[in-house]
Amino acid sequence: MFIKTQTPTSDLLVVIDLKSGYEQKAADLFYQAGFCVYRVEGSRVKYFLRVIGQNAKTDKIDVKGLALSALKTQEMLQLYTPING
């Protein structure tokens, strides 16, 4: 499993789109492995991409946009905590 091959560090953020379909399971798995996990709204990422002039819609661009928007707005993101944790 990919998660087991990674080491949680303070400078590594796990950012998950709220509407990816697998976000809850992924967020829980990364959280349990000790990562800092943030869930963000895809619409905000799309808006961020438009603001910086990126209008193309591909998975590769979406992933880069998700990472860049999280990096630029990290102080406003809310750290994920599981419902039963």
Side-chain angles (χ1 to χ4, degrees), residues 27-50:
D28 288 341
L29 289 171
F30 275 105
Y31 179 86
Q32 291 165 4
F35 290 89
C36 293
V37 180
Y38 298 90
R39 294 170 60 197
V40 298
E41 292 181 39
S43 59
R44 289 185 178 198
V45 174
K46 298 280 188 207
Y47 180 75
F48 175 83
L49 287 172
R50 275 186 254 140

Side-chain angles (χ1 to χ4, degrees), residues 1-7 25-35:
M1 181 186 298
F2 173 78
I3 296 172
K4 292 181 181 178
T5 67
Q6 305 303 306
T7 303
K25 183 68 172 170
D28 288 341
L29 289 171
F30 275 105
Y31 179 86
Q32 291 165 4
F35 290 89

Side-chain angles (χ1 to χ4, degrees), residues 46-62:
K46 298 280 188 207
Y47 180 75
F48 175 83
L49 287 172
R50 275 186 254 140
V51 167
I52 64 170
Q54 186 59 262
N55 295 316
K57 296 181 180 184
T58 67
D59 287 345
K60 189 174 183 179
I61 290 172
D62 286 349

